[in-house]
Amino acid sequence: MSDLKSKFLDVYYVLKSELLNDPDFEFTDDSRQWVDRMLDYNVPGGKLNRGLSVIDSYHLLNDGKELTSEEIFKASALGWCIEWLQAYFLVLDDIMDNSHTRRGQPCWYKLPKVGMIAVNDGILLRNHITRILKNHFRPKPYYVDLLDLFNEVEFQTASGQMIDLITTLVGEKDLSKYSLPIHRRIVQYKTAYYSFYLPVACALLMAGENLDNHVDVKNILIEMGIYFQVQDDYLDCFADPEVLGKIGTDIQDFKCSWLVVKALELCNEEQKKILDENYGKDDPACIAKIKALYNDLKLEEVFLEYEKKSYEKLTSSIAAHPSKAVQAVLLSFLRKIYKRQK
């Protein structure tokens, strides 16, 4: 895997070099240096799971046969398109959320001399995706399908972000807006499409498949993405920060978390009052009251039951798929996330 990751990173530098020498724009030294620094700061710094999943999935769709160097490059290029998409979302997301740090360093827009130039950098990141696709996939019969796929997933993610933003308006803290269907819709559109469906859809297109024939695969991956986010919400509150690698902030950030939605479902009037008075306040005493309420409502047990049922439902849906290769792709995703601790 480390060898695959180093090959994957090599492709990043090839793609970056192409973008910094794009014939359709006459770079000055300053602008080339700006884009070079902006890309290195925002694109390759995460875990790269989404991008690497394209190569894994394509490999499994080919029944585990060894991939040619061209296939590895093409799958890596698509993987990097997803990482570029992620960078574009995060750069703009951090501005919208007024965040301070991302991946253990200051958010890009917080850097001296960057500020709101980051908005344009986000637009550039999005445009780089179409440049990469044009450079490497234009002769392919599935080129238009790739463009459609990225456009569709971007639309779904931006729409999910919109629901999230208008539901959690700062200064208008209203828990009555929070419900399981709203949580599911936010998660489905904001996270599941681009994090789970997109990598597999890219691999399917590369393998010559028609995505219209794989609606069942999309549905399974969306369910997996929802389960993943519910896990994330659970870990934010209940995981050991040492293991998780960060201190959860969903309670003070007034997030439409699965935990608060379940709490609203299960609590009595007195407990509802505790939620209303303490949720969304950046005060250790308020946070402690919410955590105590979650314990009183046995939300840890509620989550473990949800996890068990989700896993059973996902495994039976996967087993029902007629293609063993597609089953292998879906199971590899599920194995990575089931019972994760961080």
Side-chain angles (χ1 to χ4, degrees):
M1 185 63 183
S2 58
D3 183 42
L4 183 61
K5 196 166 184 177
S6 69
K7 282 182 185 170
F8 186 62
L9 283 164
D10 289 344
V11 175
Y12 165 74
Y13 291 105
V14 173
L15 299 174
K16 183 178 78 162
S17 173
E18 289 171 355
L19 292 165
L20 294 176
N21 295 283
D22 194 315
D24 285 341
F25 178 68
E26 209 173 304
F27 279 93
T28 60
D29 287 345
D30 282 352
S31 61
R32 185 176 277 112
Q33 282 167 12
W34 180 277
V35 175
D36 191 348
R37 176 176 171 236
M38 185 270 288
L39 290 176
D40 283 352
Y41 199 89
N42 293 296
V43 178
K47 295 190 280 285
L48 308 180
N49 289 341
R50 292 171 184 83
L52 289 164
S53 294
V54 179
I55 312 170
D56 281 346
S57 300
Y58 183 70
H59 182 238
L60 291 166
L61 287 171
N62 275 290
D63 299 320
K65 290 192 197 95
E66 197 171 337
L67 303 181
T68 65
S69 54
E70 193 201 350
E71 285 175 319
I72 290 171
F73 184 90
K74 287 270 193 281
S76 297
L78 288 179
W80 279 114
C81 284
I82 300 174
E83 294 297 335
W84 246 269
L85 189 71
Q86 158 94 330
Y88 153 61
F89 290 145
L90 297 185
V91 164
L92 296 182
D93 198 40
D94 287 341
I95 298 170
M96 288 179 246
D97 291 348
N98 196 20
S99 301
H100 296 277
T101 58
R102 166 74 63 187
R103 296 168 175 167
Q105 57 184 8
C107 298
W108 176 242
Y109 84 101
K110 285 287 185 186
L111 293 189
K113 298 184 184 172
V114 178
M116 286 304 112
I117 297 172
V119 175
N120 193 63
D121 290 333
I123 295 166
L124 265 181
L125 286 163
R126 174 61 182 99
N127 277 273
H128 285 167
I129 296 166
T130 47
R131 310 304 293 169
I132 294 167
L133 293 175
K134 183 182 175 184
N135 286 341
H136 295 284
F137 295 92
R138 200 171 183 187
K140 297 290 181 187
Y142 53 87
Y143 174 59
V144 173
D145 294 320
L146 278 175
L147 291 174
D148 273 353
L149 175 66
F150 275 90
N151 287 338
E152 186 181 295
V153 169
E154 182 194 8
F155 166 68
Q156 287 160 330
T157 310
S159 300
Q161 170 75 340
M162 179 261 301
I163 299 170
D164 193 13
L165 290 168
I166 64 174
T167 308
T168 58
L169 275 175
V170 177
E172 289 187 30
K173 293 180 175 174
D174 180 4
L175 283 174
S176 69
K177 286 183 178 178
Y178 289 3
S179 66
L180 216 49
I182 283 288
H183 176 270
R184 183 185 170 88
R185 189 166 290 170
I186 291 169
V187 171
Q188 175 178 344
Y189 288 103
K190 189 179 167 181
T191 305
Y193 278 101
Y194 91 94
S195 298
F196 283 80
Y197 174 59
L198 183 56
V200 176
C202 283
L204 285 165
L205 286 175
M206 246 190 91
E209 294 289 330
N210 182 334
L211 294 182
D212 291 341
N213 300 334
H214 291 284
V215 176
D216 51 348
V217 173
K218 181 196 274 191
N219 292 338
I220 291 168
L221 287 161
I222 296 308
E223 286 302 322
M224 221 181 279
I226 292 165
Y227 159 59
F228 175 84
Q229 186 58 51
V230 171
Q231 263 183 327
D232 227 43
D233 293 353
Y234 166 78
L235 292 170
D236 185 90
C237 178
F238 288 102
D240 177 350
E242 290 290 313
V243 178
L244 193 60
K246 63 177 182 179
I247 295 164
T249 60
D250 283 1
I251 293 170
Q252 55 266 47
D253 290 346
F254 198 69
K255 281 277 161 68
C256 183
S257 156
W258 184 82
L259 292 172
V260 77
V261 168
K262 285 312 264 184
L264 285 163
E265 264 187 18
L266 298 167
C267 67
N268 58 33
E269 281 307 311
E270 207 174 303
Q271 290 167 324
K272 169 82 165 58
K273 196 161 173 272
I274 295 169
L275 277 173
D276 284 331
E277 288 171 2
N278 297 283
Y279 197 72
K281 290 187 178 161
D282 197 358
D283 172 344
C286 295
I287 294 164
K289 282 179 186 170
I290 296 294
K291 288 191 173 182
L293 175 61
Y294 285 176
N295 285 324
D296 290 344
L297 293 170
K298 296 189 168 51
L299 286 192
E300 206 159 353
E301 288 174 27
V302 174
F303 168 75
L304 291 171
E305 182 58 27
Y306 163 85
E307 181 170 61
K308 181 170 169 279
K309 283 186 175 157
S310 295
Y311 183 74
E312 285 166 1
K313 188 179 168 192
L314 285 164
T315 46
S316 67
S317 299
I318 293 167
H321 196 280
S323 161
K324 290 288 179 209
V326 171
Q327 280 186 28
V329 170
L330 296 170
L331 284 170
S332 83
F333 265 78
L334 187 55
R335 273 198 285 275
K336 281 176 203 160
I337 62 170
Y338 181 56
K339 294 281 185 191
R340 70 192 172 99
Q341 300 298 307
K342 58 182 179 178

